[in-house]
Amino acid sequence: MVIVEALKDLSSYLPLFTTPGRVIVDLNNVVDPAHGLDGEYDVTFSVTIYASPKKQGGSRSDGIIALGTLSKEQAGYAGVPPMLNTTVKLPRNTIEAYAEIYASGNAQEEFWYFNAPDSWLPALPKDTTYGKGSFREVQLLVDGQLAGFASPYPVLFTGANVPLIWRPVAAYGAFDQPTYKVDLTPFVPLLSDGKNHTVTINVVSSEPDHTILGNWWVSGNIQVILDPSGKPTNGLITKYIAPPYANSRISGTKNHGDVNITLAADHALHVEALITSGSGTTSTVTWKQSSSFVNHQSYRDNATRQISTQVASGRSLSTHNGAVKLDDDFSWPLSVHFWTVDNDDGSGWGTIFDHGYIRSEVLPTVMGAKTDISYHRRAEGSRFMPNDGPRINSATSNLTFSYRDNKGHTYWRTLKSDNGTVTQDKQGGNIANARHQSCIFTAAAVDVTDDGVARLHGSRYQ
């Protein structure tokens, strides 16, 4: 029996708990005895609500509007493609609106950073990888107009290449993926006009037709703040510079069977609006975004050795009358080295991951605090099947993590693991567990056969 406890701060969703409603816990299970997946879940779900001291008060939005399938029987996320469209009608007295987007690559899109541009697929051995290129952008549209975009963080799930790498410490975001915020306030005069409007979540590539493979799971929500007068909000968009897609460039070489591909992209958005509340207050709202992306792929020795290195970075900044409401500054560095082995002794593969999550966020008070998070991990592992024995797996991992927020909370942790065993664990900061002691353990043996199901890019290696 394996016991897993997951905790999540739901403070920004408090409006959902102010009236009776239906809570859906959707935990899909895969049963596949051929792969040793025959377990069943026994789930206990609980919510703990804390009263906020009067001197501190409590900041929350006046309502939350779901972006999803709106199903009453299961979780509301949807698969893209096709794009997810949700019909919304904001209250007439809405004065601020903020969207939160969830997006997760799946199946042929799980390792999208290893996907090659369609124009370069013929240069590679068949089924080496998938197409549509390595660039992905999550977009939010209002009635077909781009309102915001996000460069998705490349989450490494627990089956990535060598599952033993992620045992017992999963990669950042594997169990609680990052979300992306968009200030929709410039669009409030449109969204609060009393009519139905379409808010779209889509994922696009840098291909000429901007299509992707299957699929991404997406959903989201809009948090609204109302003017106490109850009177309609008025205003207009005074500036709108938002190219519908990123600018992209592809270059590459092919020499004696070695293929090198570089894909670069950048995108920028600038929207300004004047918002006049029913109370008569006028606000100048400015919403800006910029992003930069570079991915280098190298396929050597007939693609038996592959390297993908990329960095996605950017900033989203929103000001209302000059005061910062939302500021998201991020960088997602990633390097993956993958190689295959096939000789007289057996066959298998090895991998090296080097990835990071560096993000500084200032969020609207209804969505959270100011946080600075830095995560870096280097891990390597291999899986080899000898011709005359059981499968052999090995994995090592080193990670560092740090957190701080505007309330003075700090936390840091360093972890090392060797073949599924934590060999070093240190932590500190003023919210660290006071009972935790820094530890160094003895490493496990190298031969590990209970290793789980590996997920790889491209059907060539499945």
Side-chain angles (χ1 to χ4, degrees):
M1 179 175 64
V2 177
I3 299 176
V4 177
E5 182 180 22
L7 302 176
K8 187 172 182 65
D9 184 359
L10 300 176
S11 301
S12 61
Y13 308 111
L14 277 176
L16 297 177
F17 297 91
T18 58
T19 58
R22 183 185 181 95
V23 176
I24 299 175
V25 180
D26 189 351
L27 184 60
N28 293 319
N29 190 18
V30 176
V31 177
D32 186 356
H35 289 93
L37 303 175
D38 57 2
E40 297 181 357
Y41 292 123
D42 183 7
V43 179
T44 300
F45 177 78
S46 64
V47 177
T48 303
I49 299 177
Y50 302 88
S52 177
K54 291 184 178 180
K55 64 178 181 180
Q56 294 181 1
S59 180
R60 69 186 189 203
S61 63
D62 296 303
I64 298 179
I65 299 171
L67 302 176
T69 64
L70 308 184
S71 170
K72 295 183 179 181
E73 304 299 329
Q74 61 186 27
Y77 57 81
V80 172
M83 63 184 66
L84 169 65
N85 292 315
T86 307
T87 300
V88 303
K89 182 193 293 184
L90 269 58
R92 296 297 309 274
N93 60 325
T94 298
I95 53 174
E96 295 180 44
Y98 303 94
E100 180 181 30
I101 307 170
Y102 164 85
S104 177
N106 178 62
Q108 294 177 337
E109 292 284 310
E110 179 177 345
F111 302 97
W112 79 89
Y113 43 84
F114 249 128
N115 287 19
D118 286 353
S119 59
W120 279 88
L121 281 178
L124 300 171
K126 184 180 179 180
D127 298 328
T128 294
T129 188
Y130 298 113
K132 302 303 177 186
S134 56
F135 175 78
R136 295 293 179 272
E137 183 178 81
V138 182
Q139 297 189 335
L140 185 73
L141 300 95
V142 174
D143 292 338
Q145 285 189 307
L146 184 66
F149 56 82
S151 298
Y153 174 65
V155 176
L156 299 170
F157 295 104
T158 55
N161 288 6
V162 178
L164 188 60
I165 287 177
W166 317 112
R167 296 184 179 185
V169 184
Y172 184 83
F175 294 145
D176 188 8
Q177 297 186 51
T179 57
Y180 313 96
K181 288 80 176 179
V182 171
D183 188 353
L184 282 177
T185 305
F187 298 88
V188 161
L190 172 66
L191 292 169
S192 63
D193 64 358
K195 301 177 182 179
N196 287 333
H197 295 275
T198 301
V199 176
T200 301
I201 300 176
N202 197 21
V203 182
V204 298
S205 71
S206 59
E207 291 293 302
D209 59 3
H210 305 291
T211 60
I212 63 171
L213 302 173
N215 68 314
W216 283 72
W217 300 117
V218 303
S219 66
N221 64 77
I222 301 174
Q223 302 220 20
V224 298
I225 299 176
L226 306 179
D227 182 68
S229 72
K231 299 178 182 179
T233 297
N234 294 297
L236 73 160
I237 295 176
T238 57
K239 177 180 286 188
Y240 181 80
I241 303 173
Y245 301 104
N247 296 314
S248 62
R249 303 161 298 282
I250 299 173
S251 60
T253 61
K254 182 178 181 180
N255 186 23
H256 301 297
D258 292 348
V259 177
N260 296 283
I261 308 167
T262 297
L263 193 159
D266 57 79
H267 204 175
L269 172 149
H270 185 169
V271 184
E272 294 184 9
L274 288 176
I275 310 293
T276 302
S277 70
S279 299
T281 302
T282 298
S283 299
T284 300
V285 178
T286 301
W287 169 235
K288 295 181 180 180
Q289 290 189 285
S290 61
S291 67
S292 175
F293 173 89
V294 178
N295 175 283
H296 302 284
Q297 295 181 12
S298 180
Y299 299 87
R300 304 173 184 172
D301 303 326
N302 198 34
T304 59
R305 184 173 295 273
Q306 305 172 23
I307 301 173
S308 178
T309 302
Q310 75 174 37
V311 176
S313 60
R315 187 182 184 189
S316 299
L317 177 64
S318 166
T319 60
H320 294 195
N321 283 340
V324 174
K325 286 287 186 174
L326 189 159
D327 190 354
D328 185 357
D329 197 332
F330 70 91
S331 177
W332 321 135
L334 172 69
S335 177
V336 184
H337 189 173
F338 177 84
W339 63 92
T340 60
V341 177
D342 189 356
N343 55 39
D344 293 340
D345 297 323
S347 61
W349 61 82
T351 191
I352 299 173
F353 288 99
D354 196 313
H355 64 122
Y357 178 97
I358 305 165
R359 192 177 198 182
S360 177
E361 279 189 293
V362 176
L363 297 177
T365 54
V366 298
M367 302 182 81
K370 178 186 184 302
T371 59
D372 292 285
I373 295 176
S374 178
Y375 162 88
H376 175 256
R377 184 168 186 167
R378 188 183 191 281
E380 58 183 281
S382 64
R383 168 174 284 193
F384 187 73
M385 176 64 75
N387 293 328
D388 57 357
R391 187 160 57 195
I392 301 172
N393 299 269
S394 64
T396 61
S397 177
N398 294 268
L399 74 86
T400 60
F401 174 87
S402 66
Y403 168 93
R404 64 178 180 179
D405 61 34
N406 62 332
K407 298 180 180 180
H409 300 137
T410 61
Y411 178 78
W412 62 265
R413 192 165 190 173
T414 63
L415 280 165
K416 295 182 179 181
S417 63
D418 191 353
N419 296 318
T421 299
V422 173
T423 56
Q424 182 173 301
D425 185 0
K426 299 179 181 180
Q427 64 172 271
N430 59 25
I431 59 173
N433 187 343
R435 294 175 294 179
H436 177 86
Q437 295 182 348
S438 296
C439 302
I440 298 178
F441 307 94
T442 302
V446 174
D447 294 349
V448 180
T449 55
D450 183 14
D451 50 8
V453 179
R455 296 178 62 82
L456 305 173
H457 61 281
S459 60
R460 182 186 188 194
Y461 309 108
Q462 304 299 316

